[in-house]
């Protein structure tokens, strides 16, 4: 044994490459669908080797409590994500069984995860990497507001071809409901947020008044959203520049946003998600400026007012905003617990304003209320899976489920990844559900006690895309059409009609993006890094993204959908450099 230890001590490089080769082979062998191509395996071995050697040179740092605990937490979550995720296949109702070999896989990915996240921590503290991304303060370049305008104009120019391709814009099916509501064809319904519907309706009305053409209204909407989105993303890049991020890194962010066609599509599509996500990004920037860099500046009347406005607008734009606001409020109440007299009225008052507008005002003025079925997607799916998989139910459970939807119909409409097929089924009795909300939760609990395993399976399958780094699908990635309607709204397709080139057809096949779960992990890693560095206040700007993800994990209607987590899509440049915006770790005893 002593000889073995001595051999490895004298040959650290050889030992590292040995473990790297073993690890890369195990990785490719263990991943379904990965062929054992020697070129890829060798490449993975090089990455493993670099990570092992880098971690080994800083092994004393790993002994510090927060660092090994943070690495272990992320490693455990990473390992569980890989192993559990391997049991799920998109569009497959079956959740594969666990085997004894999965224990070995869990231990392997735990080691890999700990190594990976310890290396990421070291990189965030490495002066060479820090200097490459964010130079020292003495060398920080001054940033003028003109750069904000330049960035925004570049983005607009990059997105114009997409706008022309789909002129006058893109109106998905759910957006057509907002249009129908604004035109009086449907009753008001806050499932399609009233505030957003008013914006859509007003722009279509203006277009109709100007040229008696509703298509002009859609074009006005597209232009307005494109300008707002370009302005917001341009401001994010300008703000990062002010924080000292090198221009070379910023230009990568600019190229990321300007890359067609996805961002051009989201710049014009008639969805509330781009507006909502931009408000969250602006809120993150505000919180960084006034709760992190200058904690006491948050207490100024002007800044408290700005905070309240951002919170109210965010909540009015999408219904899950109120839950994000509550999360941020609770965190800020802890941070400013010694200044409660100054912050409490604004923090709680802004939430009250949202409740008052979306409650009494919407109900009195528009007769609009939130739809109950929209908030119970996950519980409804769990109950449906129990029926489909032949789970245990008593007579009362069966009767209630049969009232909602005839029992024989669950097999036809159930999909583990999407609740819409059930809740919008012609046979689904929504009025009955609205009249029996207490019975719904009672039945849900009753079935949970008898079918815990099926409930867990459905939860994991129903949220799959928001925690797994590679299991996404293109569902709800983009929309490209104007939904069929009776108002004369249509796409004129200028490239086809004028140039005869099938631009729209070609562009439709070019959309792609990284998995949503990978974005979630980028947020999670940043949060844990803040904790590892003893910089808990730096978590505050990330709470909007965290809260948005948590609402999806509690009540998402679908297992996939980049649009629902679009704040992380446009926030990716911030997430990628955030570890270097966090100062170095505070040592014990340091204030």
């Amino acid at each position: 044994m002593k000889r073995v230890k001595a051999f490895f001590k004298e040959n650290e490089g050889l030992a590292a490459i040995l473990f790297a080769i073993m690890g890369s082979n195990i990785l490719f062998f263990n991943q379904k669908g990965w062929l054992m191509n020697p070129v890829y395996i060798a490449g993975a071995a090089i990455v493993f080797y670099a990570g092992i050697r880098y971690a080994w040179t800083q092994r004393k740092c790993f002994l510090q409590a927060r660092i090994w605990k943070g690495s272990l937490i992320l490693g455990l979550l990473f390992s569980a994500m890989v192993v559990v995720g391997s049991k799920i296949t998109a569009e497959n109702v079956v959740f594969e069984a666990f085997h004894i070999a999965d224990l070995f896989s869990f231990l392997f990915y735990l080691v890999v995860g700990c190594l990976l996240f310890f290396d990421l921590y070291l990189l965030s503290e490495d002066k060479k990497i820090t200097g490459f991304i964010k130079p020292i303060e003495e060398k920080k370049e001054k940033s003028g507001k003109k750069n904000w305008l330049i960035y925004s104009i570049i983005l607009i120019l990059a997105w114009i071809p997409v706008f022309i391709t789909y002129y006058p814009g893109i109106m998905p099916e759910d957006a057509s409901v907002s249009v129908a509501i604004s035109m009086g064809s449907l009753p008001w319904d806050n499932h399609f947020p009233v505030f957003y519907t008013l914006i859509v309706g007003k722009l279509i009305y203006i277009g109709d008044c100007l040229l008696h053409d509703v298509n002009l209204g859609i074009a006005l909407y597209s232009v307005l959203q494109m300008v707002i989105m370009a302005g917001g993303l341009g401001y994010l890049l300008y703000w990062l520049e002010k924080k000292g991020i090198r221009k070379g890194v910023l230009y990568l962010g600019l190229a990321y946003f300007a890359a067609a066609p996805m961002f051009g599509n989201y710049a014009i599509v008639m969805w509330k998600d781009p507006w909502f996500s931009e408000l969250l990004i602006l809120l993150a920037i505000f919180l960084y400026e006034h709760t992190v860099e200058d904690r006491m500046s948050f207490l100024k009347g002007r800044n408290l007012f700005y905070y309240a406005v951002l919170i109210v607008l965010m909540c009015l734009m999408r219904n899950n905003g109120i839950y994000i606001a509550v999360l941020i409020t609770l965190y800020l109440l802890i941070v400013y617990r010694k200044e409660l007299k100054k912050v409490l009225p604004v923090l709680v008052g802004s939430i009250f304003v949202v409740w008052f507008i979306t409650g009494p005002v919407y109900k009195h003025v528009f007769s609009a209320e939130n739809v109950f079925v929209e908030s119970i997607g996950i519980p409804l799916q769990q109950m449906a899976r129990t029926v489909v998989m032949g789970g245990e139910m008593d007579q009362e459970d069966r009767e209630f489920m049969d009232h909602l939807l005839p029992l024989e119909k669950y097999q036809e409409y159930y999909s583990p990844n999407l609740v819409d097929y059930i809740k919008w089924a012609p046979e689904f009795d929504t009025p009955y559900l609205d009249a029996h909300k207490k019975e719904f939760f009672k039945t849900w609990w009753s079935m949970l006690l008898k079918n815990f395993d099926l409930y867990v399976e459905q939860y994991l399958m129903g949220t799959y895309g928001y925690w797994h780094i590679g299991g996404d699908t293109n569902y709800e990635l983009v929309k490209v059409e104007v939904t069929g309607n009776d108002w004369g709204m249509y796409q004129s397709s200028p490239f086809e009609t004028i140039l005869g080139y099938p631009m729209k057809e070609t562009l439709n096949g070019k959309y792609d993006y990284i998995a949503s779960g990978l974005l979630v992990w980028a947020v999670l890693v940043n949060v844990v890094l803040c904790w590892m560095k003893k910089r808990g206040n730096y978590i505050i700007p990330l709470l909007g993204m965290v809260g948005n993800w948590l609402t999806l994990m509690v009540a998402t209607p679908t297992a996939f959908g980049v649009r629902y987590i679009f704040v992380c899509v446009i926030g990716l440049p911030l997430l990628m450099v955030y570890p270097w915006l966090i100062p170095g770790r505070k040592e014990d005893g340091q204030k």
Side-chain angles (χ1 to χ4, degrees), residues 3 9 45 140 208 239 253 256 345 358 398 466 489 555:
R3 290 182 178 180
K9 187 175 182 179
K140 186 170 69 173
D208 193 33
W239 181 80
Y256 168 73
T358 59
R398 290 181 179 277
Y466 301 117
M489 297 177 178

Side-chain angles (χ1 to χ4, degrees), residues 287 291-292 307 324-337 340 343 347 527 530-531 535-543 546:
L287 291 172
T291 65
V292 175
Y307 169 81
I324 300 172
V326 169
L327 174 65
I328 296 174
T329 296
L330 292 175
Y331 204 100
L332 290 178
L333 286 175
I334 296 173
V335 172
Y336 292 98
R337 56 189 176 277
L340 281 181
V343 301
L347 295 180
V527 170
C530 292
W531 179 81
R535 301 285 183 174
N537 57 329
Y538 280 77
I539 296 176
I540 299 173
L542 302 174
L543 289 177
V546 172

Side-chain angles (χ1 to χ4, degrees), residues 441-458:
F441 289 112
K442 179 182 177 182
T443 304
W444 176 82
W445 179 255
S446 172
M447 294 170 67
L448 165 66
L449 297 177
K450 299 185 282 285
N451 303 278
F452 184 76
D453 55 337
L454 292 176
Y455 271 47
V456 172
E457 288 178 5
Q458 175 54 51

Side-chain angles (χ1 to χ4, degrees), residues 251-517:
Y251 293 159
L252 288 176
L254 182 62
Y256 168 73
F257 289 138
M262 178 181 173
F263 286 101
N265 182 292
Y266 272 73
I268 63 173
V269 65
M270 196 176 284
W271 269 341
K272 57 187 175 293
D273 307 280
W275 302 66
F276 174 78
S277 299
E278 281 223 344
L279 286 167
L280 282 177
I281 292 296
L282 293 176
L283 181 61
I285 292 173
F286 173 86
L287 291 172
Y288 188 97
E289 292 276 359
H290 300 292
T291 65
V292 175
E293 285 197 330
D294 186 358
R295 177 183 177 277
M296 299 309 293
S297 68
F298 183 75
L299 303 177
K300 295 180 179 179
R302 179 181 61 183
N303 291 331
L304 288 171
F305 174 76
Y306 287 159
Y307 169 81
V309 170
L310 286 172
I311 287 292
V312 172
L313 288 176
M314 174 195 70
C315 294
L316 294 181
M317 194 58 70
R318 207 164 82 179
N319 292 327
N320 65 326
I322 187 66
Y323 305 107
I324 300 172
V326 169
L327 174 65
I328 296 174
T329 296
L330 292 175
Y331 204 100
L332 290 178
L333 286 175
I334 296 173
V335 172
Y336 292 98
R337 56 189 176 277
K338 294 182 179 180
E339 295 88 14
L340 281 181
K341 289 184 179 179
K342 292 184 178 180
V343 301
L344 187 62
V346 174
L347 295 180
V348 177
S350 57
I351 293 178
F352 174 80
V353 169
V354 173
W355 170 82
F356 182 73
I357 294 174
T358 59
V361 172
Y362 280 2
K363 187 174 183 180
H364 177 73
V365 178
F366 302 100
S367 299
E369 298 182 79
N370 293 323
V371 180
F372 177 64
V373 71
E374 291 299 320
S375 62
I376 58 167
I378 289 178
L380 183 59
Q381 284 282 77
Q382 291 172 322
M383 297 162 76
R385 182 173 181 81
T386 301
V387 176
V388 170
M389 302 302 290
E392 185 178 348
M393 295 184 291
D394 58 33
Q395 187 60 32
E396 289 186 5
D397 298 336
R398 290 181 179 277
E399 289 178 359
F400 184 83
M401 296 302 293
D402 190 57
H403 271 295
L404 288 182
L405 183 72
L407 291 177
E408 65 275 8
K409 290 291 183 177
Y410 282 95
Q411 191 74 43
E412 177 182 344
Y413 293 115
Y414 170 73
S415 168
N417 302 323
L418 183 64
V419 71
D420 287 3
Y421 299 129
I422 290 179
K423 70 183 185 184
W424 301 133
E427 300 89 344
F428 188 81
D429 196 341
T430 302
Y432 178 83
L433 175 63
D434 292 336
H436 296 82
K437 296 176 182 178
K438 290 183 178 180
E439 289 84 349
F440 174 84
F441 289 112
K442 179 182 177 182
T443 304
W444 176 82
W445 179 255
S446 172
M447 294 170 67
L448 165 66
L449 297 177
K450 299 185 282 285
N451 303 278
F452 184 76
D453 55 337
L454 292 176
Y455 271 47
V456 172
E457 288 178 5
Q458 175 54 51
Y459 179 77
L460 294 171
M461 298 174 82
T463 57
Y464 182 47
Y466 301 117
W467 55 264
H468 194 272
I469 62 174
D472 221 343
T473 71
N474 283 338
Y475 175 76
E476 290 292 277
L477 175 61
V478 295
K479 297 291 185 180
V480 296
E481 302 288 348
V482 167
T483 299
N485 59 86
D486 299 324
W487 310 304
M489 297 177 178
Y490 64 94
Q491 290 175 340
S492 56
S493 304
F495 282 104
E496 283 80 357
T497 57
I498 299 175
L499 301 178
Y501 179 75
M503 182 69 170
K504 182 178 172 182
E505 180 182 351
T506 304
L507 191 59
N508 289 351
K510 296 294 184 180
Y511 290 104
D512 194 19
Y513 193 68
I514 60 176
S516 304

Side-chain angles (χ1 to χ4, degrees), residues 111-268:
V111 173
V112 171
C114 288
L115 173 66
L116 170 64
F117 296 113
F118 178 52
D119 278 338
L120 286 176
Y121 170 80
L122 294 176
L123 287 173
S124 74
E125 294 282 277
D126 193 301
K127 292 183 179 179
K128 293 181 180 179
I129 304 297
T130 301
F132 175 76
I133 294 175
K134 183 178 184 291
I136 58 177
E137 292 297 321
E138 288 76 5
K139 296 182 179 180
K140 186 170 69 173
E141 300 179 19
K142 293 183 179 180
S143 174
K145 286 190 176 181
K146 66 177 183 180
N147 288 349
W148 175 13
L149 180 62
I150 291 172
Y151 295 146
S152 301
I153 291 175
I154 290 174
L155 293 178
I156 290 175
L157 293 175
W159 298 338
I160 282 178
V162 180
F163 174 47
I164 296 175
T165 299
Y166 298 111
Y167 184 85
I170 302 170
M171 186 178 72
E173 186 174 354
D174 52 352
S176 70
V177 177
S178 290
V179 174
I181 291 173
S182 66
M183 289 186 165
S185 302
L186 289 175
W188 288 88
D189 180 350
N190 199 42
H191 167 55
F192 304 92
V194 170
F195 183 69
Y196 176 74
T197 299
L198 288 171
I199 294 174
V200 172
K202 183 59 68 175
L203 290 170
I204 291 178
Y205 174 77
I206 292 173
D208 193 33
C209 288
L210 290 176
L211 293 178
H212 302 290
D213 184 2
V214 288
N215 285 302
L216 177 60
I218 295 181
L220 289 175
Y221 175 93
S222 299
V223 171
L224 177 61
Q225 182 167 297
M226 183 163 53
V227 170
I228 290 176
M229 187 166 162
L233 299 186
Y235 183 75
L236 173 60
L237 295 174
Y238 158 71
W239 181 80
L240 289 174
E241 189 174 341
K242 286 202 305 178
K243 297 299 123 183
I245 302 300
R246 287 188 181 274
K247 284 191 174 181
V249 178
L250 290 173
Y251 293 159
L252 288 176
L254 182 62
Y256 168 73
F257 289 138
M262 178 181 173
F263 286 101
N265 182 292
Y266 272 73
I268 63 173

